Amino acid sequence: PTARQEPSWTGDMFILALEHCPTGRTRRKLLCAEGACAALWHVSLSNNLPDLARKLAVWIGLSVNNGPIGSSVGSPSCRRRLLDVRLDPGMGDAMLARALERGLQDE
């Protein structure tokens, strides 16, 4: 799923799949799929869904932390990459910068 391909994509089914993953390994595979985190972060920002953003951050923290020892999927750099993913190709801002901008706007 990518937000660029489907501007109206809400991620409902993808989020439901993440909610009901039987194992951390399955959730990790879903989160690490190309474009998945960027699409979910984009949905949370564009639809003003802070609860989704919090849940996604927790899923990333738990799933990536439990990666196989020595695996790049379970590494802190992988977690950092998923938490601070670039939302739009060619744009300088990544997720954390956009979240800070949104927080300042909401105050």
Side-chain angles (χ1 to χ4, degrees):
T2 63
R4 289 314 236 169
Q5 293 171 344
E6 294 289 332
S8 62
W9 184 74
T10 62
D12 291 343
M13 294 303 288
F14 199 82
I15 294 164
L16 187 63
L18 285 167
E19 283 272 346
H20 294 283
C21 279
T23 66
R25 173 182 280 173
T26 304
R27 186 174 291 127
R28 184 172 52 251
K29 284 182 181 179
L30 288 172
L31 290 170
C32 291
E34 186 175 342
C37 275
L40 289 170
W41 286 125
H42 192 273
V43 165
S44 72
L45 283 174
S46 62
N47 295 323
N48 196 23
L49 300 171
D51 290 339
L52 174 59
R54 277 190 285 275
K55 188 174 283 198
L56 184 55
V58 169
W59 284 334
I60 290 169
L62 294 175
S63 298
V64 176
N65 251 359
N66 293 330
I69 295 175
S71 165
S72 63
V73 172
S75 72
S77 65
C78 179
R79 185 176 340 126
R80 208 171 13 254
R81 181 178 52 83
L82 294 175
L83 287 170
D84 198 25
V85 69
R86 294 229 179 272
L87 296 178
D88 298 313
M91 296 294 290
D93 287 348
M95 177 54 201
L96 294 177
R98 294 259 185 100
L100 285 173
E101 288 172 7
R102 175 62 58 92
L104 291 173
Q105 288 174 356
D106 290 347
E107 285 186 358

